[in-house]
């Protein structure tokens, strides 16, 4: 790969998380992005000294390769994307089906409704609850 900065001297106790901070700084990222680091195609999963001793690597000059890891940024919900009218009181509990196509909602109106998320319509209504 390409060299992303000048040769650097780093302590032997340097770990991946330290290299990650350094790399993000060199790449001038606004958000810290995760990376994996490799020495001779072996992933660095401990400090440099332990890794070098374990894999019998010379420490004169060391090329460290990196690969970006998948990362996700969770954004806050800022608006409602859909509503499904049906309950006459506040919804107190919801649960998605294992396949993600249905939703069960429990309400203060003492009903449980099963919703089809593709059509956003109620498929079943369970009545009879008197209290929690």
């Amino acid at each position: 790969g390409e060299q992303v900065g000048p040769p650097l001297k780093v302590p032997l106790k340097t770990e991946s998380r330290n290299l990650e901070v350094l790399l993000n700084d060199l790449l001038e990222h606004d958000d810290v992005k995760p990376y994996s680091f490799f020495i001779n195609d072996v992933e660095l999963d401990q400090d440099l000294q332990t890794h070098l001793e374990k894999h019998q690597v010379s420490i004169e000059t060391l090329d460290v390769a990196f690969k970006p890891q998948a990362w996700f940024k969770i954004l806050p919900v800022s608006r409602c994307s859909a509503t499904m009218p049906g309950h006459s009181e506040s919804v107190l509990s919801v649960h998605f089906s294992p396949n993600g196509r249905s939703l069960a909602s429990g309400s203060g109106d003492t009903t449980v409704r099963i919703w089809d998320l593709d059509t956003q319509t109620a498929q079943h209504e369970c009545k009879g609850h008197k209290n929690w």
Side-chain angles (χ1 to χ4, degrees), residues 2-15:
E2 295 180 30
Q3 188 169 327
V4 295
L8 301 169
K9 291 184 178 182
V10 295
L12 286 174
K13 290 298 181 187
T14 300
E15 298 176 347

Side-chain angles (χ1 to χ4, degrees), residues 29-115:
H29 288 156
D30 292 332
D31 293 328
V32 175
K33 296 180 181 173
Y35 290 92
S36 296
F37 296 91
F38 301 85
I39 299 170
N40 297 340
D41 296 323
V42 179
E43 186 170 3
L44 178 66
D45 58 356
Q46 51 211 327
D47 65 71
L48 283 172
Q49 183 173 8
T50 306
H51 181 88
L52 297 174
E53 289 171 357
K54 179 179 176 183
H55 298 286
Q56 300 174 348
V57 177
S58 168
I59 59 172
E60 289 294 319
T61 302
L62 191 62
D63 289 328
V64 179
F66 63 91
K67 180 170 71 170
Q69 294 179 335
W71 68 286
F72 303 94
K73 187 172 185 179
I74 307 297
L75 300 175
V77 175
S78 59
R79 64 182 173 82
C80 179
S81 61
T83 59
M84 298 184 293
H87 288 294
S88 60
E89 296 286 331
S90 297
V91 173
L92 305 172
S93 177
V94 295
H95 186 78
F96 288 94
S97 66
N99 67 6
R101 297 186 63 176
S102 299
L103 177 77
S105 60
S107 169
D109 64 8
T110 68
T111 64
V112 174
R113 292 180 186 258
I114 309 299
W115 303 87

Side-chain angles (χ1 to χ4, degrees), residues 19-35:
L19 292 174
E20 192 173 89
V21 171
L22 181 62
L23 180 61
N24 275 287
D25 214 27
L26 287 169
L27 296 174
E28 298 178 351
H29 288 156
D30 292 332
D31 293 328
V32 175
K33 296 180 181 173
Y35 290 92

